[in-house]
Amino acid sequence: MLQYHTIPVTAFQQNCSLVWDDTTMEGVLIDPGGDVDRLLAEARQRGVALKAIWLTHAHIDHAGGVAELVAREGLPVVGPHPEDQFLIDGLAAQARAYGFPPAGPFVPERWLHDGDTVTLGEHTFAVRHCPGHTPGHVVFHHAPSKRAFVGDVLFAGSVGRTDFPRSDPQALIDSIVQKLWPMGDDTVFVPGHGPESSFGRERRSNPYVGGT
């Protein structure tokens, strides 16, 4: 079965997800924004062998720990979409601007595009490109478990900010309606911040996209 554990990291309490296949015990970290020692300790405690880093997007609170993990563990970086290259290039400046520890750029081993798939042990995830919060934001959907890891596209009761460079409010709404809702009302999503919710609950009650 697919297992995951949500680990809030950094002062921004960003939800890093440790995701693993409990048959092979191979795992990935989705959006390791920081607190690398804690993330590695969680993986060791659960007996998870980390195989990769998956990124939804390249804001500092989601990607600030990537370069350190690459240097210490040699993990390959998968994602995000290449439209977020400018954010990767600017991670050092992002760190200074938001008071994060120094963070360097990194080179993804694989960029992701809409319709791609990624695998973890025996599990396959569909990748959807969901721009709006950032132009290169992607989402990971595991249909068999009805789980999606959506970064900062959608939250319980809210949506991602669109006041950053190259954000696009209409693109964000389109991403939610056209890419997330078709995953099904009963799909539970892990957002980049805050508690989990379901797409059905957000369709009914979210003030930004409810009723769409």
Side-chain angles (χ1 to χ4, degrees):
M1 291 180 61
L2 185 77
Q3 305 284 346
Y4 68 94
H5 176 62
T6 302
I7 309 162
V9 295
T10 83
F12 285 26
Q13 291 294 282
Q14 189 276 128
N15 289 332
C16 175
S17 294
L18 173 64
V19 187
W20 70 96
D21 177 342
D22 68 2
T23 299
T24 65
M25 294 307 291
E26 295 178 343
V28 299
L29 288 169
I30 300 179
D31 291 354
D35 299 337
V36 168
D37 287 339
R38 181 182 173 201
L39 298 179
L40 293 175
E42 290 277 2
R44 285 194 299 270
Q45 178 183 340
R46 296 169 190 276
V48 175
L50 292 174
K51 297 299 181 181
I53 297 163
W54 294 357
L55 289 182
T56 64
H57 66 294
H59 279 156
I60 186 67
D61 55 326
H62 293 252
V66 172
E68 182 179 351
L69 279 165
V70 171
R72 291 174 58 175
E73 303 295 321
L75 298 174
V77 181
V78 178
H81 184 281
E83 287 294 327
D84 268 13
Q85 176 71 68
F86 78 105
L87 290 170
I88 295 174
D89 294 341
L91 277 170
Q94 290 189 58
R96 291 191 297 270
Y98 291 99
F100 275 64
F106 52 86
V107 178
E109 180 172 288
R110 177 186 172 195
W111 294 106
L112 295 175
H113 299 82
D114 194 68
D116 284 351
T117 59
V118 291
T119 58
L120 172 59
E122 300 176 353
H123 301 280
T124 299
F125 295 70
V127 176
R128 300 311 305 263
H129 180 211
C130 293
H133 179 67
T134 73
H137 201 300
V138 298
V139 162
F140 301 99
H141 178 216
H142 186 251
S145 65
K146 299 181 180 178
R147 291 294 185 277
F149 298 86
V150 305
D152 286 357
V153 175
L154 181 69
F155 305 115
S158 189
V159 297
R161 287 173 57 180
T162 54
D163 56 342
F164 296 113
R166 297 186 60 189
S167 294
D168 184 330
Q170 187 57 54
L172 181 71
I173 300 303
D174 291 345
S175 290
I176 294 168
V177 173
Q178 298 171 14
K179 304 288 182 67
L180 300 189
W181 290 170
M183 294 178 188
D185 283 356
D186 56 349
T187 294
V188 172
F189 68 92
V190 180
H193 304 265
E196 297 180 1
S197 184
S198 70
F199 293 144
R201 182 180 302 139
E202 298 312 305
R203 288 184 72 170
R204 292 188 299 271
S205 63
N206 190 302
Y208 298 92
V209 286
T212 55

PDB file of all heavy atoms in Angstrom, residues 4 14 38 46 73 82 86 97 124 137 142 167-168 179 181 183 185 193 197 200 207:
ATOM      1  N   TYR A   4       1.877   7.686   3.608  1.00  0.00           N
ATOM      2  CA  TYR A   4       2.501   9.007   3.647  1.00  0.00           C
ATOM      3  C   TYR A   4       2.362   9.608   5.038  1.00  0.00           C
ATOM      4  O   TYR A   4       1.476   9.254   5.808  1.00  0.00           O
ATOM      5  CB  TYR A   4       1.920   9.938   2.582  1.00  0.00           C
ATOM      6  CG  TYR A   4       0.482  10.355   2.780  1.00  0.00           C
ATOM      7  CD1 TYR A   4       0.151  11.541   3.432  1.00  0.00           C
ATOM      8  CD2 TYR A   4      -0.551   9.569   2.286  1.00  0.00           C
ATOM      9  CE1 TYR A   4      -1.167  11.929   3.601  1.00  0.00           C
ATOM     10  CE2 TYR A   4      -1.869   9.945   2.441  1.00  0.00           C
ATOM     11  CZ  TYR A   4      -2.178  11.124   3.089  1.00  0.00           C
ATOM     12  OH  TYR A   4      -3.484  11.499   3.263  1.00  0.00           O
ATOM     13  N   GLN A  14       5.208  24.605   6.107  1.00  0.00           N
ATOM     14  CA  GLN A  14       4.915  24.021   4.800  1.00  0.00           C
ATOM     15  C   GLN A  14       4.848  22.506   4.922  1.00  0.00           C
ATOM     16  O   GLN A  14       5.700  21.892   5.552  1.00  0.00           O
ATOM     17  CB  GLN A  14       6.013  24.440   3.809  1.00  0.00           C
ATOM     18  CG  GLN A  14       5.723  24.094   2.376  1.00  0.00           C
ATOM     19  CD  GLN A  14       6.101  22.671   2.025  1.00  0.00           C
ATOM     20  OE1 GLN A  14       5.283  21.908   1.482  1.00  0.00           O
ATOM     21  NE2 GLN A  14       7.321  22.274   2.351  1.00  0.00           N
ATOM     22  N   ARG A  38      15.484  16.896  10.322  1.00  0.00           N
ATOM     23  CA  ARG A  38      14.212  16.318  10.791  1.00  0.00           C
ATOM     24  C   ARG A  38      13.609  15.400   9.736  1.00  0.00           C
ATOM     25  O   ARG A  38      13.105  14.314  10.062  1.00  0.00           O
ATOM     26  CB  ARG A  38      13.239  17.441  11.135  1.00  0.00           C
ATOM     27  CG  ARG A  38      11.910  16.944  11.648  1.00  0.00           C
ATOM     28  CD  ARG A  38      10.949  18.066  11.923  1.00  0.00           C
ATOM     29  NE  ARG A  38       9.632  17.575  12.253  1.00  0.00           N
ATOM     30  CZ  ARG A  38       8.528  18.291  12.154  1.00  0.00           C
ATOM     31  NH1 ARG A  38       8.589  19.545  11.745  1.00  0.00           N
ATOM     32  NH2 ARG A  38       7.360  17.762  12.461  1.00  0.00           N
ATOM     33  N   ARG A  46      11.096   5.464  10.197  1.00  0.00           N
ATOM     34  CA  ARG A  46      10.068   4.626   9.571  1.00  0.00           C
ATOM     35  C   ARG A  46      10.659   3.551   8.665  1.00  0.00           C
ATOM     36  O   ARG A  46       9.910   2.783   8.040  1.00  0.00           O
ATOM     37  CB  ARG A  46       9.092   5.516   8.797  1.00  0.00           C
ATOM     38  CG  ARG A  46       8.323   6.451   9.716  1.00  0.00           C
ATOM     39  CD  ARG A  46       7.546   7.521   8.981  1.00  0.00           C
ATOM     40  NE  ARG A  46       7.046   8.511   9.915  1.00  0.00           N
ATOM     41  CZ  ARG A  46       5.929   8.383  10.611  1.00  0.00           C
ATOM     42  NH1 ARG A  46       5.169   7.308  10.441  1.00  0.00           N
ATOM     43  NH2 ARG A  46       5.531   9.315  11.454  1.00  0.00           N
ATOM     44  N   GLU A  73      22.634  13.459   0.383  1.00  0.00           N
ATOM     45  CA  GLU A  73      22.088  12.132   0.118  1.00  0.00           C
ATOM     46  C   GLU A  73      22.181  11.715  -1.347  1.00  0.00           C
ATOM     47  O   GLU A  73      21.884  10.562  -1.671  1.00  0.00           O
ATOM     48  CB  GLU A  73      20.617  12.080   0.569  1.00  0.00           C
ATOM     49  CG  GLU A  73      20.394  12.424   2.031  1.00  0.00           C
ATOM     50  CD  GLU A  73      21.023  11.405   2.956  1.00  0.00           C
ATOM     51  OE1 GLU A  73      20.963  10.205   2.642  1.00  0.00           O
ATOM     52  OE2 GLU A  73      21.583  11.818   4.006  1.00  0.00           O
ATOM     53  N   PRO A  82       9.351  23.087 -16.242  1.00  0.00           N
ATOM     54  CA  PRO A  82      10.463  24.008 -16.531  1.00  0.00           C
ATOM     55  C   PRO A  82      10.129  25.488 -16.444  1.00  0.00           C
ATOM     56  O   PRO A  82      11.046  26.312 -16.352  1.00  0.00           O
ATOM     57  CB  PRO A  82      10.896  23.616 -17.955  1.00  0.00           C
ATOM     58  CG  PRO A  82       9.817  22.758 -18.507  1.00  0.00           C
ATOM     59  CD  PRO A  82       9.146  22.113 -17.341  1.00  0.00           C
ATOM     60  N   PHE A  86      13.105  29.988 -13.339  1.00  0.00           N
ATOM     61  CA  PHE A  86      13.512  31.296 -12.812  1.00  0.00           C
ATOM     62  C   PHE A  86      13.446  31.332 -11.290  1.00  0.00           C
ATOM     63  O   PHE A  86      14.231  32.034 -10.641  1.00  0.00           O
ATOM     64  CB  PHE A  86      12.652  32.409 -13.425  1.00  0.00           C
ATOM     65  CG  PHE A  86      11.266  32.563 -12.838  1.00  0.00           C
ATOM     66  CD1 PHE A  86      10.965  33.610 -11.982  1.00  0.00           C
ATOM     67  CD2 PHE A  86      10.265  31.644 -13.156  1.00  0.00           C
ATOM     68  CE1 PHE A  86       9.696  33.752 -11.443  1.00  0.00           C
ATOM     69  CE2 PHE A  86       8.985  31.783 -12.633  1.00  0.00           C
ATOM     70  CZ  PHE A  86       8.701  32.843 -11.775  1.00  0.00           C
ATOM     71  N   ALA A  97      15.144  37.199   1.171  1.00  0.00           N
ATOM     72  CA  ALA A  97      13.948  38.031   1.268  1.00  0.00           C
ATOM     73  C   ALA A  97      13.000  37.558   2.371  1.00  0.00           C
ATOM     74  O   ALA A  97      12.339  38.373   3.015  1.00  0.00           O
ATOM     75  CB  ALA A  97      13.214  38.031  -0.076  1.00  0.00           C
ATOM     76  N   THR A 124       2.097   4.240  -9.333  1.00  0.00           N
ATOM     77  CA  THR A 124       2.237   5.231 -10.392  1.00  0.00           C
ATOM     78  C   THR A 124       1.371   6.440 -10.070  1.00  0.00           C
ATOM     79  O   THR A 124       0.192   6.301  -9.706  1.00  0.00           O
ATOM     80  CB  THR A 124       1.827   4.645 -11.751  1.00  0.00           C
ATOM     81  OG1 THR A 124       2.683   3.537 -12.062  1.00  0.00           O
ATOM     82  CG2 THR A 124       1.939   5.685 -12.860  1.00  0.00           C
ATOM     83  N   HIS A 137       3.973  25.106 -11.711  1.00  0.00           N
ATOM     84  CA  HIS A 137       3.446  24.262 -10.635  1.00  0.00           C
ATOM     85  C   HIS A 137       2.875  22.958 -11.200  1.00  0.00           C
ATOM     86  O   HIS A 137       2.173  22.957 -12.201  1.00  0.00           O
ATOM     87  CB  HIS A 137       2.346  25.024  -9.893  1.00  0.00           C
ATOM     88  CG  HIS A 137       2.072  24.524  -8.512  1.00  0.00           C
ATOM     89  ND1 HIS A 137       1.655  23.241  -8.247  1.00  0.00           N
ATOM     90  CD2 HIS A 137       2.153  25.152  -7.305  1.00  0.00           C
ATOM     91  CE1 HIS A 137       1.487  23.101  -6.947  1.00  0.00           C
ATOM     92  NE2 HIS A 137       1.787  24.240  -6.351  1.00  0.00           N
ATOM     93  N   HIS A 142      -2.415  10.163  -7.122  1.00  0.00           N
ATOM     94  CA  HIS A 142      -2.383   8.708  -7.018  1.00  0.00           C
ATOM     95  C   HIS A 142      -3.824   8.217  -6.990  1.00  0.00           C
ATOM     96  O   HIS A 142      -4.481   8.190  -5.942  1.00  0.00           O
ATOM     97  CB  HIS A 142      -1.630   8.279  -5.750  1.00  0.00           C
ATOM     98  CG  HIS A 142      -1.433   6.812  -5.643  1.00  0.00           C
ATOM     99  ND1 HIS A 142      -2.098   6.028  -4.729  1.00  0.00           N
ATOM    100  CD2 HIS A 142      -0.652   5.953  -6.366  1.00  0.00           C
ATOM    101  CE1 HIS A 142      -1.737   4.767  -4.873  1.00  0.00           C
ATOM    102  NE2 HIS A 142      -0.858   4.690  -5.853  1.00  0.00           N
ATOM    103  N   SER A 167       2.636  34.955 -11.394  1.00  0.00           N
ATOM    104  CA  SER A 167       1.379  34.326 -10.994  1.00  0.00           C
ATOM    105  C   SER A 167       0.273  34.770 -11.942  1.00  0.00           C
ATOM    106  O   SER A 167       0.390  35.803 -12.611  1.00  0.00           O
ATOM    107  CB  SER A 167       1.003  34.719  -9.560  1.00  0.00           C
ATOM    108  OG  SER A 167       1.915  34.201  -8.615  1.00  0.00           O
ATOM    109  N   ASP A 168      -0.826  34.003 -11.953  1.00  0.00           N
ATOM    110  CA  ASP A 168      -1.933  34.295 -12.868  1.00  0.00           C
ATOM    111  C   ASP A 168      -3.232  33.828 -12.224  1.00  0.00           C
ATOM    112  O   ASP A 168      -3.497  32.630 -12.156  1.00  0.00           O
ATOM    113  CB  ASP A 168      -1.705  33.584 -14.201  1.00  0.00           C
ATOM    114  CG  ASP A 168      -2.749  33.905 -15.255  1.00  0.00           C
ATOM    115  OD1 ASP A 168      -3.913  34.175 -14.893  1.00  0.00           O
ATOM    116  OD2 ASP A 168      -2.406  33.866 -16.453  1.00  0.00           O
ATOM    117  N   LYS A 179      -8.255  20.689 -13.913  1.00  0.00           N
ATOM    118  CA  LYS A 179      -7.285  19.638 -13.618  1.00  0.00           C
ATOM    119  C   LYS A 179      -7.586  18.893 -12.312  1.00  0.00           C
ATOM    120  O   LYS A 179      -7.391  17.676 -12.247  1.00  0.00           O
ATOM    121  CB  LYS A 179      -5.867  20.227 -13.542  1.00  0.00           C
ATOM    122  CG  LYS A 179      -5.423  20.994 -14.778  1.00  0.00           C
ATOM    123  CD  LYS A 179      -5.146  20.103 -15.957  1.00  0.00           C
ATOM    124  CE  LYS A 179      -4.653  20.870 -17.169  1.00  0.00           C
ATOM    125  NZ  LYS A 179      -3.314  21.469 -16.978  1.00  0.00           N
ATOM    126  N   TRP A 181     -10.682  19.106 -10.186  1.00  0.00           N
ATOM    127  CA  TRP A 181     -12.038  18.577  -9.995  1.00  0.00           C
ATOM    128  C   TRP A 181     -12.259  17.248 -10.711  1.00  0.00           C
ATOM    129  O   TRP A 181     -12.919  16.360 -10.147  1.00  0.00           O
ATOM    130  CB  TRP A 181     -13.080  19.580 -10.444  1.00  0.00           C
ATOM    131  CG  TRP A 181     -13.310  20.828  -9.653  1.00  0.00           C
ATOM    132  CD1 TRP A 181     -14.078  21.890 -10.070  1.00  0.00           C
ATOM    133  CD2 TRP A 181     -12.867  21.201  -8.343  1.00  0.00           C
ATOM    134  NE1 TRP A 181     -14.111  22.877  -9.122  1.00  0.00           N
ATOM    135  CE2 TRP A 181     -13.380  22.483  -8.051  1.00  0.00           C
ATOM    136  CE3 TRP A 181     -12.070  20.568  -7.395  1.00  0.00           C
ATOM    137  CZ2 TRP A 181     -13.118  23.130  -6.846  1.00  0.00           C
ATOM    138  CZ3 TRP A 181     -11.801  21.229  -6.200  1.00  0.00           C
ATOM    139  CH2 TRP A 181     -12.320  22.476  -5.933  1.00  0.00           C
ATOM    140  N   MET A 183     -10.458  14.805 -10.879  1.00  0.00           N
ATOM    141  CA  MET A 183      -9.894  13.696 -10.099  1.00  0.00           C
ATOM    142  C   MET A 183     -10.936  13.062  -9.190  1.00  0.00           C
ATOM    143  O   MET A 183     -10.701  11.965  -8.674  1.00  0.00           O
ATOM    144  CB  MET A 183      -8.703  14.190  -9.278  1.00  0.00           C
ATOM    145  CG  MET A 183      -7.524  14.627 -10.120  1.00  0.00           C
ATOM    146  SD  MET A 183      -6.164  15.268  -9.088  1.00  0.00           S
ATOM    147  CE  MET A 183      -5.050  15.907 -10.355  1.00  0.00           C
ATOM    148  N   ASP A 185     -14.682  13.957  -6.532  1.00  0.00           N
ATOM    149  CA  ASP A 185     -15.045  14.598  -5.273  1.00  0.00           C
ATOM    150  C   ASP A 185     -14.501  13.862  -4.060  1.00  0.00           C
ATOM    151  O   ASP A 185     -14.263  14.467  -3.007  1.00  0.00           O
ATOM    152  CB  ASP A 185     -16.567  14.685  -5.158  1.00  0.00           C
ATOM    153  CG  ASP A 185     -17.174  15.786  -6.000  1.00  0.00           C
ATOM    154  OD1 ASP A 185     -16.406  16.555  -6.628  1.00  0.00           O
ATOM    155  OD2 ASP A 185     -18.420  15.884  -6.038  1.00  0.00           O
ATOM    156  N   HIS A 193       0.015  23.830   2.733  1.00  0.00           N
ATOM    157  CA  HIS A 193      -0.100  24.396   4.076  1.00  0.00           C
ATOM    158  C   HIS A 193      -1.472  24.021   4.624  1.00  0.00           C
ATOM    159  O   HIS A 193      -2.453  23.994   3.894  1.00  0.00           O
ATOM    160  CB  HIS A 193       0.025  25.928   4.063  1.00  0.00           C
ATOM    161  CG  HIS A 193       1.279  26.431   3.426  1.00  0.00           C
ATOM    162  ND1 HIS A 193       2.414  26.733   4.145  1.00  0.00           N
ATOM    163  CD2 HIS A 193       1.572  26.680   2.128  1.00  0.00           C
ATOM    164  CE1 HIS A 193       3.361  27.153   3.314  1.00  0.00           C
ATOM    165  NE2 HIS A 193       2.871  27.125   2.081  1.00  0.00           N
ATOM    166  N   SER A 197      -8.130  18.150   2.906  1.00  0.00           N
ATOM    167  CA  SER A 197      -9.553  18.275   2.600  1.00  0.00           C
ATOM    168  C   SER A 197      -9.830  17.367   1.414  1.00  0.00           C
ATOM    169  O   SER A 197      -8.951  16.626   0.973  1.00  0.00           O
ATOM    170  CB  SER A 197      -9.914  19.729   2.303  1.00  0.00           C
ATOM    171  OG  SER A 197     -11.316  19.885   2.084  1.00  0.00           O
ATOM    172  N   GLY A 200     -14.416  17.340  -3.220  1.00  0.00           N
ATOM    173  CA  GLY A 200     -15.854  17.530  -3.095  1.00  0.00           C
ATOM    174  C   GLY A 200     -16.210  18.577  -2.068  1.00  0.00           C
ATOM    175  O   GLY A 200     -17.084  19.434  -2.299  1.00  0.00           O
ATOM    176  N   PRO A 207     -14.846  29.433  -0.679  1.00  0.00           N
ATOM    177  CA  PRO A 207     -15.398  30.701  -1.167  1.00  0.00           C
ATOM    178  C   PRO A 207     -14.773  31.175  -2.481  1.00  0.00           C
ATOM    179  O   PRO A 207     -15.351  32.033  -3.156  1.00  0.00           O
ATOM    180  CB  PRO A 207     -15.093  31.686  -0.038  1.00  0.00           C
ATOM    181  CG  PRO A 207     -13.951  31.081   0.705  1.00  0.00           C
ATOM    182  CD  PRO A 207     -14.131  29.602   0.608  1.00  0.00           C
TER     183      PRO A 207
END
